[in-house]
Amino acid sequence: MLPPRLVRSLIFLEVITIFALDTSAASTGSSLPEDPVYPSINGFYQRYSQYPEYCSTPQHMENRRIPPLQNNPSPEIGDTRLIHVTAVIRHGARTPWSADMYCWDGYWEDQETGVWDCNLTTFMAQSMMTGGNQEMHQPTCLFEKRYDALLFPQDQLTNELNGTCQMGQLLYQGYEQQLQNGKILREAYGYHKGEFSHDERMRLIDLSLQDYVPWHQDHLHFRADDDQRTVMSGQVLLRSLFQVELVQVYQTTNQYPVIPLHIADRDRDILDANDRACPRLKQIQDQATQSQEYQDFDNSPTSQEVRRYMFDRLKMSNQSRNSILDCLMCTICTDRPLPEAINDYDGSNDNWFARLAEYDIQTYTKLMKYNDSEYAKLALGPLWYEIMRNINPLVVGPSNGHDEEQVKIKAPKFALFSGHDTTIMPLLASLGTRLWNDTDWVPYATLMTIEIHELIDRQSDAKVYTSNFAFRLLYNGKVLTSLVEGCPENADLCDIVHFQSKVNPIATRNTDCSVPDDPTKGSASAGFWSLESSEGMALLATLVIGSCLCGSLLTLLMLNKRFSRYSGRSKVDNNSAWTIDDDDDCGLELPEGDFQDEPAK
């Protein structure tokens, strides 16, 4: 039984609990609500003979288990113990993220592709308020959000996706995927005190409930952005990870366990690239698209052939170039019908479905990796800072010259960041050129983990392991550690110094998002007056000529007036009044530097 003091420490002022439940499910009795009543998982993925890895079918998920540590590693490493894991996930399968996706002709008019109905709903609890001598009270009811208030297409009153789904919301398939991720993490890192069937080197999350609850804020950090699909994906994963223990605590205390969720305003968040909050990202994108490498790709015969096929056979427009992948995957992964022109996916890359997908992928990855992944490093620098706040206190101290604010933080054992494909790809790309290629994309429910291991017996190869800590980097069950620069080939664990050398220089909250002037262009503030503008050039020429004429006329009038005033007393020679030296510029003198692009020092 948990101490009451510990239970009370889990209660926070505001509770917003999201359960993924079928609309017919109810919460009764002395246990947590049961899992939703799904359509059978075998009811999904039936239309097509092959599905891309992107879809994360049950077969794909089964192959993503976290492998055990090597027993006879090379280079040699002594005894270790796992002290921290950061998991970064992509949300599970979802609806289209926008109703403005430009898919093939007739996509949004077709009942099978343009109407999205969902039975997966969100339940909320009212806030718990305290004040004065009042005690906290558990919520007495739940509120179910149903997106069914606008179902009148005959009157042009519909939701964005023409049904009961939100844009970009989690689907049943995504719910199932995150349940599987929770089981994968529990199997890899969970253990019970007093039981030794689990590899001692991988014992991280104590599920025995003897000393603490594993979801307490000292042991768990849960972070997501404010999208329904990321919030629910993280919640479903944690529910799966701690399912048995959550029920035990509820039955013991008759109170719902509370897990803090750290979140921010969506428009300001940094869980993926945010060019609204960091304008320089847009400039890097523009520079990347103008680069020779990108131009070679975009103008290649292959790219031109793909675009002709899009326009001619699918009746897509140039606006579709940022929607291709989403249109393809939202359709095939939910067993909706593809047009005959791209209904040819066979598991290879030699078909129009794969060719269109690969083309669209490269329009993003080439920008992300431009100039040594400048975009990825700048965009995800603040997120790397958040991640390293949970790692650096475990492996460094103030004497190492590290950020003292980070060192003072009590680091949790397990941190979960629930984000997007555009969270994980830049994270990996920022670690080096070998970790992400140009033609892959992050599947639904991807699981990336960063394990931190302590070397505890000084038996490791001192030439390879120069510190007392090592890391292991995994992506969907594949060990990527050796792809980080400085790590030995085929290494399972690598010295933490190589990871820190890549991450610490870019892990900062104080990113430089200012937009320096492009030396190939006029000042961004010049606008209409830019010398690159034909209108600006014409106006400037007019002003110069006009200034000369006005100045000359004014001079003539003043001299004539002066001459007439003194004509009776002396004779003035005006012969030189209209003489203009060859070096004269009609009085328009531009001091050096006025048209330089660099800001004034």
Side-chain angles (χ1 to χ4, degrees):
M1 180 174 178
L2 293 174
R5 184 177 182 182
L6 179 57
V7 173
R8 286 196 299 273
S9 70
L10 299 177
I11 306 301
F12 286 76
L13 293 181
E14 182 174 3
V15 176
I16 300 179
T17 309
I18 301 182
F19 292 106
L21 298 174
D22 187 89
T23 53
S24 62
S27 174
T28 58
S30 59
S31 64
L32 290 174
E34 295 295 325
D35 279 334
V37 179
Y38 292 109
S40 169
I41 192 63
N42 295 324
F44 302 131
Y45 315 113
Q46 296 296 304
R47 181 185 288 266
Y48 301 98
S49 60
Q50 297 280 344
Y51 289 86
E53 180 83 12
Y54 187 108
C55 294
S56 298
T57 66
Q59 291 74 27
H60 293 139
M61 295 298 298
E62 184 63 28
N63 294 328
R64 297 178 185 174
R65 296 180 181 277
I66 294 171
L69 286 175
Q70 295 178 11
N71 287 324
N72 297 299
S74 178
E76 183 178 350
I77 188 169
D79 287 341
T80 62
R81 66 181 172 200
L82 184 61
I83 60 173
H84 174 84
V85 169
T86 287
V88 186
I89 62 170
R90 184 192 177 187
H91 56 76
R94 57 160 171 77
T95 63
W97 61 270
S98 171
D100 293 328
M101 286 166 36
Y102 295 93
C103 298
W104 45 86
D105 188 36
Y107 178 90
W108 289 109
E109 291 72 36
D110 190 326
Q111 185 77 14
E112 289 192 87
T113 55
V115 178
W116 292 77
D117 286 314
C118 293
N119 290 326
L120 201 62
T121 59
T122 298
F123 280 68
M124 302 182 301
Q126 70 271 25
S127 299
M128 293 189 297
M129 303 296 293
T130 60
N133 297 323
Q134 294 180 340
E135 296 183 359
M136 290 186 184
H137 296 282
Q138 283 283 356
T140 55
C141 64
L142 297 176
F143 295 88
E144 180 186 7
K145 293 174 68 175
R146 297 186 180 183
Y147 281 79
D148 59 0
L150 294 178
L151 297 180
F152 310 103
Q154 68 278 9
D155 300 316
Q156 288 73 52
L157 290 175
T158 65
N159 290 325
E160 294 283 357
L161 299 183
N162 305 312
T164 58
C165 293
Q166 298 172 254
M167 290 189 297
Q169 85 156 75
L170 198 70
L171 294 170
Y172 270 135
Q173 295 97 314
Y175 190 100
E176 179 68 27
Q177 290 157 357
Q178 298 301 347
L179 285 178
Q180 184 64 22
N181 271 338
K183 293 173 183 177
I184 289 172
L185 291 168
R186 183 182 179 95
E187 179 184 83
Y189 306 124
Y191 73 98
H192 288 83
K193 186 176 293 186
E195 298 178 2
F196 299 96
S197 58
H198 193 276
D199 186 347
E200 287 191 65
R201 298 172 298 174
M202 296 289 286
R203 292 158 64 97
L204 180 73
I205 303 173
D206 183 359
L207 301 172
S208 64
L209 299 182
Q210 294 182 21
D211 302 318
Y212 61 87
V213 289
W215 54 83
H216 186 270
Q217 61 181 348
D218 288 344
H219 304 281
L220 169 69
H221 179 82
F222 175 28
R223 171 79 157 91
D225 66 16
D226 203 8
D227 284 339
Q228 187 268 358
R229 59 187 178 275
T230 54
V231 172
M232 186 176 281
S233 288
Q235 290 174 318
V236 173
L237 182 152
L238 291 174
R239 178 177 178 177
S240 176
L241 174 59
F242 300 128
Q243 175 70 26
V244 175
E245 293 71 36
L246 289 168
V247 172
Q248 289 179 8
V249 168
Y250 178 80
Q251 290 176 337
T252 302
T253 65
N254 201 32
Q255 292 182 331
Y256 291 114
V258 176
I259 299 177
L261 165 59
H262 302 278
I263 208 162
D265 282 341
R266 186 63 181 93
D267 285 346
R268 301 290 300 168
D269 213 345
I270 46 80
L271 218 59
D272 62 351
N274 188 345
D275 57 16
R276 294 184 300 275
C278 187
R280 188 172 161 219
L281 291 173
K282 183 63 169 64
Q283 186 185 58
I284 295 172
Q285 282 185 300
D286 293 341
Q287 292 170 348
T289 56
Q290 296 167 17
S291 68
Q292 189 62 51
E293 179 186 359
Y294 189 88
Q295 289 298 314
D296 290 345
F297 152 73
D298 203 40
N299 296 319
S300 68
T302 300
S303 295
Q304 293 183 47
E305 184 181 20
V306 167
R307 288 196 293 270
R308 282 196 299 270
Y309 198 85
M310 288 167 46
F311 302 152
D312 296 344
R313 294 295 304 277
L314 297 173
K315 307 304 180 186
M316 298 173 107
S317 68
N318 211 41
Q319 293 174 295
S320 304
R321 293 175 65 174
N322 294 325
S323 304
I324 301 170
L325 189 68
D326 213 60
C327 294
L328 293 174
M329 298 306 175
C330 280
T331 302
I332 194 171
C333 295
T334 55
D335 280 349
R336 292 166 183 253
L338 288 164
E340 193 60 35
I342 51 175
N343 187 13
D344 59 354
Y345 184 75
D346 60 5
S348 74
N349 294 325
D350 189 22
N351 51 79
W352 280 109
F353 181 99
R355 292 180 69 185
L356 264 67
E358 186 172 304
Y359 166 76
D360 197 35
I361 289 169
Q362 290 183 84
T363 62
Y364 173 80
T365 55
K366 287 187 179 298
L367 302 184
M368 178 186 68
K369 296 172 65 178
Y370 165 75
N371 194 23
D372 192 26
S373 299
E374 180 183 8
Y375 182 92
K377 292 175 180 178
L378 177 63
L380 275 297
L383 178 57
W384 270 124
Y385 181 88
E386 287 193 33
I387 291 173
M388 297 308 290
R389 289 180 74 212
N390 299 319
I391 295 176
N392 281 329
L394 298 170
V395 299
V396 297
S399 60
N400 298 90
H402 204 77
D403 188 338
E404 293 202 24
E405 181 185 345
Q406 289 195 13
V407 174
K408 293 177 183 178
I409 294 171
K410 183 176 177 60
K413 291 185 176 182
F414 180 64
L416 174 66
F417 292 81
S418 182
H420 304 266
D421 41 12
T422 49
T423 303
I424 294 176
M425 283 188 290
L427 285 177
L428 290 174
S430 64
L431 291 175
T433 58
R434 301 168 60 195
L435 283 98
W436 198 260
N437 64 34
D438 290 344
T439 57
D440 284 338
W441 196 265
V442 171
Y444 288 138
T446 280
L447 174 61
M448 167 186 165
T449 54
I450 306 167
E451 300 174 355
I452 307 300
H453 298 258
E454 184 178 8
L455 284 56
I456 58 178
D457 66 356
R458 300 185 182 276
Q459 298 299 310
S460 303
D461 187 336
K463 295 180 180 179
V464 178
Y465 298 98
T466 59
S467 76
N468 293 325
F469 299 92
F471 76 96
R472 187 167 73 145
L473 178 65
L474 301 103
Y475 171 83
N476 285 339
K478 298 180 178 66
V479 180
L480 304 184
T481 310
S482 62
L483 300 181
V484 178
E485 185 179 352
C487 295
E489 285 297 322
N490 302 316
D492 207 23
L493 295 175
C494 179
D495 197 298
I496 192 68
V497 297
H498 300 298
F499 185 77
Q500 290 178 310
S501 70
K502 287 289 184 183
V503 175
N504 284 346
I506 61 175
T508 177
R509 296 176 303 186
N510 186 24
T511 54
D512 181 9
C513 286
S514 60
V515 181
D517 291 335
D518 188 336
T520 65
K521 297 181 178 180
S523 170
S525 62
F528 177 78
W529 300 84
S530 171
L531 293 181
E532 286 193 347
S533 165
S534 58
E535 295 87 351
M537 287 290 290
L539 181 60
L540 181 60
T542 301
L543 289 174
V544 170
I545 295 171
S547 296
C548 292
L549 291 175
C550 290
S552 300
L553 180 60
L554 181 61
T555 301
L556 178 61
L557 291 174
M558 291 178 64
L559 288 174
N560 284 340
K561 183 177 181 180
R562 185 184 182 104
F563 178 78
S564 62
R565 180 185 298 179
Y566 296 104
S567 60
R569 290 179 287 175
S570 63
K571 188 173 182 178
V572 178
D573 183 5
N574 284 328
N575 290 337
S576 63
W578 295 98
T579 301
I580 300 178
D581 295 335
D582 292 340
D583 294 336
D584 197 359
D585 60 2
C586 300
L588 180 64
E589 181 178 355
L590 302 178
E592 184 179 355
D594 277 13
F595 281 86
Q596 291 180 351
D597 293 316
E598 296 79 6
K601 296 181 180 179

